[in-house]
Amino acid sequence: DGRTLLASTGGDRTIRLWDPTGGQPVGEPLTGHTRRIHALASITLPEGGTLLAATSDNRTVLWDPSSGQPVSKPLTGHTDTVTALASIKLPDRRTLLASTSTDRAIVLWTTDRVPG
């Protein structure tokens, strides 16, 4: 909706959204992860803002903060805990997503190859 929000996570397997100006939580926590969330990254897709979460169950999940729902099937490819995330806007307007893991691999996706 055009607002700037902060996202946080902890050992409770949820993602919480915050209003940075007032320090108050926004909406209900995003839930559904079965393991600890280790990293978050914000990305912008043509459909709107999205949040990327990396977890101990070897997956990366794209979330729509407005609806509180995942926007695709989990991104898989790692064999161990996903520990870090990054995104970069490509010159052709797609977004490159990168994840690293304790399996010592880097997995890359472009937004036109995210499973739906």
Side-chain angles (χ1 to χ4, degrees):
D1 63 5
R3 291 185 295 173
T4 298
L5 300 176
L6 296 176
S8 67
T9 188
D12 65 355
R13 300 181 309 260
T14 67
I15 300 168
R16 295 182 189 277
L17 302 175
W18 301 88
D19 175 355
T21 58
Q24 296 299 313
V26 175
E28 294 297 316
L30 308 181
T31 61
H33 288 282
T34 59
R35 303 282 300 274
R36 184 181 178 108
I37 303 166
H38 290 275
L40 295 171
S42 173
I43 65 169
T44 302
L45 297 174
E47 304 80 37
T50 304
L51 192 61
L52 196 59
T55 65
S56 294
D57 59 3
N58 315 342
R59 303 178 313 152
T60 301
V61 178
L62 288 162
W63 288 90
D64 175 353
S66 298
S67 71
Q69 299 298 314
V71 297
S72 73
K73 295 178 183 173
L75 306 177
T76 59
H78 288 290
T79 60
D80 209 344
T81 299
V82 182
T83 56
L85 300 165
S87 68
I88 187 170
K89 192 63 93 173
L90 299 172
D92 64 4
R93 303 188 60 134
R94 293 178 302 155
T95 300
L96 177 68
L97 310 175
S99 60
T100 61
S101 167
T102 54
D103 64 11
R104 300 185 303 180
I106 298 171
V107 177
L108 303 173
W109 295 273
T110 56
T111 54
D112 64 335
R113 293 184 173 220
V114 172

